[in-house]
């Protein structure tokens, strides 16, 4: 019961402090409001940006290693692109070699990509993202289907002219129709729609979207475009198993198999790059970690000022209630009761300022920033409340200690 009494009395005194000098209290709490707003707004924006960027990079796959000529990064040294440019591209025979021998991979795929125009009657869609894929592709990359089905192994092996299309292409080529079973043309060659990809929506950046995707069997793609050196270069990718953290085993095995396949001597360096999809996401996370630190610094100064403001309110409150403190102690109130009473009051005041800051941040989530969706997460709400409470306790500890240590006789006499 004593805890509830403390909370109720602290709340009552906090409300009295607010009413007695509203302007002074509001100005004092403004620092906490601005500080919490600055920190939580930065964190909310950073989290939203990071989430949207990583969602835009889903086409790279998760837990995937790609075989490319150019590495995603070569470290702090100069990027020797002229050496990478002379490297040979991956081949279909290398894909089959890895698919048969790579024991540490869950699955291996090869695909080729280009932009093209597709037509159906008088309708056309320009710059569709055409991918030639193999049967294992769905085991390496996520291919969510809204309608229809994926390719059968027979359709892939026989290079049938069948296709899976994105929502934008389906709407452009077959308005007000069911696209399944319909025919369209790529470079004059007829294809039949067997599946429609789930709608993905607009990404934050101009990255490949499933809404504009067009999947065909790898062999059918090769009938339309030249694949290989001096043509469209295919990409080999392997998905790691769940028991291979960091893809260490698969990366080492892939490097050894590719070196053997390409006949590299032990003294020769790799003429290929093994790129992990997580590298770019980790780099994005590192950039936003620096921005988060900047948010702490900016908001920290405001919170510090707000803390001084709350401390000032509490010092004034202790002075104004000196007589009440003396009476409480003379009636048997313990030191910890007086201490907690003022600490609760300081915390309540700080929470009011913090909640005001969170409310402003929540209001900003309704502001439209193009394709960027801003969401105030529960984690950031808890962080704001926790910071406000900590500032209240830190600001009120000295005034509360002074009140708790007062001599009851001197307090009554002073009042």
């Amino acid at each position: 019961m004593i805890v509830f009494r403390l909370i109720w009395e602290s709340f009552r005194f906090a409300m009295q402090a607010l009413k007695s000098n509203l302007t002074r209290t509001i100005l004092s709490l403004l620092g906490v409001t601005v500080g919490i707003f600055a920190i939580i707004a930065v964190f909310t924006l950073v989290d939203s940006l990071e989430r949207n960027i990583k969602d835009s990079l889903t086409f790279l796959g998760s837990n995937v290693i790609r075989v490319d000529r150019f590495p995603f990064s070569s470290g702090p040294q100069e990027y020797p692109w002229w050496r990478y440019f002379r490297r040979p591209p991956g081949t279909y025979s290398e894909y089959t070699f890895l698919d048969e021998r790579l024991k540490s991979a869950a699955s291996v795929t090869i695909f080729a990509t280009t932009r093209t125009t597709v037509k159906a009657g008088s309708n056309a869609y320009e710059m569709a993202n055409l991918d030639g894929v193999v049967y294992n592709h769905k085991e390496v990359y996520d291919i969510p289907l809204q309608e229809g089905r994926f390719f059968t192994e027979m359709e892939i092996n026989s290079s049938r002219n069948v296709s899976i299309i994105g929502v934008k292409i389906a709407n452009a080529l077959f308005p007000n129709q069911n696209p399944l079973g319909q025919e369209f043309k790529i470079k004059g060659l007829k294809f039949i729609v067997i599946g429609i990809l789930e709608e993905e929506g607009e990404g934050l950046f101009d990255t490949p979207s499933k809404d504009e995707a067009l999947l065909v069997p790898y062999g059918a793609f090769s009938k339309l475009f030249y694949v290989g050196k001096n043509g469209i270069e295919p990409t080999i990718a392997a998905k790691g198993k769940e028991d291979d953290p960091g893809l260490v085993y698969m990366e080492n095995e892939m490097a050894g198999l590719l070196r053997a396949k390409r006949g590299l001597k032990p003294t020769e360096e790799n003429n290929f790059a093994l790129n992990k999809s997580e590298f770019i996401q980790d780099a994005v996370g590192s950039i936003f970690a620096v921005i988060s630190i900047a948010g702490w610094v900016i908001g920290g100064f405001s919170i510090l000022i707000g803390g001084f403001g709350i401390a000032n309110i509490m010092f004034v409150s202790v002075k104004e209630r000196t007589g009440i403190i003396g009476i409480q102690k003379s009636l048997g109130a313990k030191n910890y009761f007086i201490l907690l009473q003022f600490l609760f009051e300081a915390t309540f005041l700080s929470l009011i300022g913090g909640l005001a800051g969170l409310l402003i941040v929540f209001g900003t989530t309704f502001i439209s920033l193009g394709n960027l969706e801003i969401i105030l997460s529960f984690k950031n709400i808890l962080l704001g409340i926790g910071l406000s409470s900590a500032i209240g306790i830190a600001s009120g500890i000295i005034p509360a200690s002074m009140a708790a240590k007062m001599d009851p006789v001197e307090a009554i006499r002073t009042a």
Side-chain angles (χ1 to χ4, degrees):
M1 290 298 294
I2 193 169
V3 174
F4 290 111
R5 278 181 57 202
L6 275 169
I7 292 173
W8 170 247
E9 289 190 17
S10 301
F11 177 75
R12 190 161 51 85
F13 282 130
M15 291 299 102
Q16 286 177 359
L18 278 171
K19 292 176 182 177
S20 62
N21 198 326
L22 189 61
T23 305
R24 181 194 68 187
T25 307
I26 290 175
L27 290 174
S28 298
L29 296 184
L30 196 58
V32 176
T33 300
V34 172
I36 294 297
F37 168 75
I39 292 175
I40 304 304
V42 169
F43 284 175
T44 299
L45 187 60
V46 164
D47 289 347
S48 300
L49 274 170
E50 189 172 1
R51 184 182 60 256
N52 277 268
I53 289 173
K54 287 183 176 180
D55 287 346
S56 297
L57 296 174
T58 52
F59 69 94
L60 293 173
S62 175
N63 208 34
V64 170
I65 294 180
R66 294 162 45 112
V67 180
D68 296 308
R69 288 196 296 162
F70 294 83
F72 287 162
S73 172
S74 60
Q77 68 270 20
E78 184 182 359
Y79 193 83
W81 60 268
W82 53 91
R83 279 172 39 207
Y84 304 143
F85 185 76
R86 293 196 295 267
R87 289 176 172 179
T91 63
Y92 192 85
S93 63
E94 289 177 349
Y95 152 68
T96 56
F97 184 81
L98 289 175
D99 190 37
E100 292 168 1
R101 294 169 175 79
L102 192 58
K103 304 301 182 186
S104 56
S107 191
V108 184
T109 185
I110 185 171
F111 60 96
T113 303
T114 189
R115 293 278 191 175
T116 190
T117 299
V118 293
K119 297 179 180 179
S122 59
N123 299 321
Y125 193 94
E126 297 181 351
M127 300 299 288
N129 190 52
L130 177 64
D131 286 339
V133 301
V134 293
Y135 186 70
N136 292 344
H137 196 75
K138 61 182 172 58
E139 298 173 9
V140 178
Y141 293 98
D142 187 28
I143 311 292
L145 293 176
Q146 181 174 298
E147 293 182 67
R149 59 175 177 83
F150 192 72
F151 308 110
T152 64
E153 203 162 358
M154 182 179 292
E155 287 171 336
I156 294 288
N157 294 335
S158 59
S159 303
R160 295 271 182 87
N161 290 356
V162 289
S163 178
I164 300 170
I165 63 177
V167 172
K168 282 188 176 180
I169 298 174
N171 293 336
L173 298 186
F174 312 107
N176 304 318
Q177 299 181 58
N178 184 356
L180 293 179
Q182 301 280 1
E183 289 186 352
F184 67 94
K185 291 183 180 180
I186 308 173
K187 297 182 70 173
L189 200 61
K190 288 183 180 180
F191 282 80
I192 298 174
V193 179
I194 62 168
I196 303 169
L197 295 165
E198 280 186 7
E199 188 171 2
E200 187 176 58
E202 293 291 337
L204 187 60
F205 300 108
D206 188 21
T207 52
S209 170
K210 289 184 176 68
D211 297 344
E212 298 180 291
L214 189 66
L215 305 181
V216 298
Y218 190 84
F221 184 96
S222 300
K223 290 188 289 186
L224 295 166
F225 302 94
Y226 175 69
V227 180
K229 192 174 182 181
N230 301 322
I232 296 173
E233 296 180 7
T235 299
I236 300 170
K239 189 175 184 67
K241 295 179 179 178
E242 292 183 1
D243 59 353
D244 185 6
L247 304 176
V248 177
Y249 302 118
M250 188 174 76
E251 184 177 13
N252 291 333
E253 189 183 1
M254 282 182 75
L257 289 172
L258 281 170
R259 287 182 65 85
K261 176 64 175 175
R262 295 190 176 189
L264 297 176
K265 297 177 181 178
T267 55
E268 292 181 297
E269 67 175 15
N270 293 340
N271 60 354
F272 54 85
L274 296 180
N275 291 319
K276 296 180 184 180
S277 55
E278 280 75 13
F279 173 82
I280 295 179
Q281 295 182 356
D282 291 342
V284 169
S286 300
I287 293 170
F288 286 120
V290 175
I291 298 174
S292 297
I293 292 172
W296 275 108
V297 173
I298 294 168
F301 285 112
S302 298
I303 285 182
L304 186 63
I305 295 169
F308 285 128
I310 291 173
N312 178 58
I313 293 174
M314 296 313 299
F315 277 119
V316 172
S317 184
V318 169
K319 186 173 179 61
E320 289 176 345
R321 292 181 0 223
T322 301
I324 296 174
I325 296 168
I327 293 170
Q328 284 179 320
K329 298 195 77 172
S330 65
L331 292 175
K334 303 294 184 183
N335 286 352
Y336 73 86
F337 184 89
I338 305 297
L339 178 73
L340 290 177
Q341 190 179 73
F342 280 92
L343 278 181
F344 278 138
E345 184 178 340
T347 304
F348 276 131
L349 289 170
S350 185
L351 277 172
I352 291 170
L355 289 173
L358 286 172
L359 191 62
I360 297 171
V361 174
F362 180 70
T364 61
T365 61
F366 294 99
I367 299 173
S368 177
L369 295 175
N371 296 327
L372 177 62
E373 183 184 13
I374 301 176
I375 298 175
L376 177 60
S377 66
F378 185 67
K379 176 191 73 175
N380 286 332
I381 293 173
L382 288 180
L383 177 62
I385 293 172
L387 273 174
S388 302
S389 302
I391 290 299
I393 293 170
S395 303
I397 191 66
I398 295 176
S401 299
M402 288 174 55
K405 292 175 182 178
M406 280 184 181
D407 182 84
V409 176
E410 289 295 326
I412 295 172
R413 185 183 300 162
T414 304

